[in-house]
Amino acid sequence: QVQLQESGPGLVKPSQTLSLSCTVSGGSISSGSYYWSWIRQPAGKGLEWIGRVYTSGSTNYNPSLKSRVTISVDTSNNHFSLQLSSVTAADTAVYFCAREPYSLVDYFGMDVWGQGTTVTVSS
Amino acid sequence: SYELTQPPSVSVSPGQTASITCSGDKLGDRYASWYHQKPGQSPVLVIYQDTKRPSGIPERFSGSNSGNTATLTISGTQAMDEADYYCQAWDSSTVVFGGGTKLTVL
C-alpha cells in the first residue's frame, strides 16, 4: 500500500525559499498514472491546493501562487518536491502531499495523503 | 477563478441524516469529491466522481451532484462522523477546494 511522507525544515525565515519533499513508499512514483500534489492548511483554516506534478514532469499550479511555486518529481529517488519562494508569515501552514490518480474520463480524487508537516515562517 | 461555497457548519442528531452542500457555477458539469478531516489528522477521501465511495468508506456516506450543487449525505450519522468536510472539484487543470463545513453531531 502506497504511503506518503513529507519532510523538510519546520522553520523558514521571511523572504527565503520553503523546500519540502514527499517520499513515496510502497510503490514506484513512476508506475501508473498519477498526479502528485501539494496542499496546505493554515491553522484553523481550510485546505488550499498549491499544485501538482505528473510523472512526466508536467505541472499545474494554483494561479494565486504560481509565480512563487515550483513542483518537481525525482523518479530515481521516488519523491517529489515543493519549493515556495519569497515566503511570508502568510505561508505558515501544515503542508500535505497527496496522490491523485489521473484519467482522461474519470476523476478519482486524492486517494492517498501524507500526515502533513508544519512549516512556520518567522525570523 | 472557480470557487466552491460550503456552509460553515451543520449540526445533526445521532442516527439522523446530515446533508452538506457545495455550490459552484455549473458544478454538475464537473466531478465533485468529498473529504473528511478530524482534528490533527490528514483529510480522507469519502466520495469521488460525485457518487462513488472508496474502499473502506461506510455505505452511510453518499453523494450527488446536479446543477450548481453537490451534496454529501450521511445517513444514520454517528458520533465518529463529527469532522470537517471539504468538497473539491477541478477547473482548467487546477484543483479547487470548498471552504469546509464543520459537522457537529449532538
Side-chain angles (χ1 to χ4, degrees):
Chain A
Q1 184 171 349
V2 170
Q3 294 183 313
L4 306 180
Q5 178 67 60
E6 305 88 349
S7 60
L11 180 64
V12 181
K13 295 185 186 306
S15 79
Q16 293 191 342
T17 296
L18 177 161
S19 296
L20 296 176
S21 181
C22 181
T23 299
V24 179
S25 60
S28 171
I29 198 171
S30 57
S31 68
S33 296
Y34 298 104
Y35 284 113
W36 303 95
S37 296
W38 287 98
I39 303 97
R40 70 181 182 179
Q41 184 174 38
K45 297 190 177 181
L47 302 171
E48 180 181 30
W49 180 73
I50 299 170
R52 63 190 182 187
V53 61
Y54 191 59
T55 311
S56 65
S58 64
T59 54
N60 302 121
Y61 297 132
N62 185 325
S64 68
L65 298 170
K66 186 175 183 177
S67 63
R68 298 194 292 131
V69 173
T70 301
I71 297 176
S72 59
V73 63
D74 182 347
T75 54
S76 59
N77 289 303
N78 227 37
H79 75 256
F80 62 106
S81 301
L82 167 70
Q83 289 192 310
L84 180 65
S85 64
S86 304
V87 298
T88 68
D91 296 309
T92 295
V94 175
Y95 285 74
F96 296 99
C97 57
R99 186 182 79 169
E100 186 181 353
Y102 168 78
S103 169
L104 279 174
V105 177
D106 300 318
Y107 185 70
F108 299 98
M110 297 181 189
D111 63 346
V112 180
W113 291 68
Q115 65 184 29
T117 187
T118 300
V119 178
T120 301
V121 179
S122 175
S123 55
Chain B
S1 61
Y2 195 74
E3 294 184 358
L4 296 174
T5 301
Q6 299 181 234
S9 62
V10 169
S11 297
V12 64
S13 299
Q16 299 304 302
T17 296
S19 294
I20 300 173
T21 59
C22 174
S23 298
D25 185 48
K26 298 181 181 178
L27 181 56
D29 291 344
R30 314 164 194 271
Y31 283 131
S33 301
W34 291 91
Y35 305 82
H36 73 192
Q37 183 184 33
K38 297 182 180 180
Q41 297 184 16
S42 305
V44 174
L45 180 69
V46 295
I47 293 289
Y48 67 94
Q49 207 162 300
D50 297 338
T51 62
K52 299 183 179 180
R53 281 179 291 105
S55 173
I57 299 302
E59 290 184 7
R60 64 179 182 274
F61 288 87
S62 63
S64 64
N65 186 15
S66 180
N68 294 322
T69 304
T71 303
L72 173 69
T73 302
I74 310 172
S75 304
T77 307
Q78 301 182 8
M80 69 171 63
D81 299 327
E82 186 163 286
D84 293 327
Y85 287 81
Y86 295 90
C87 61
Q88 179 247 309
W90 56 271
D91 173 69
S92 300
S93 297
T94 62
V95 171
V96 180
F97 287 100
T101 298
K102 181 175 181 59
L103 177 67
T104 301
V105 183
L106 42 67

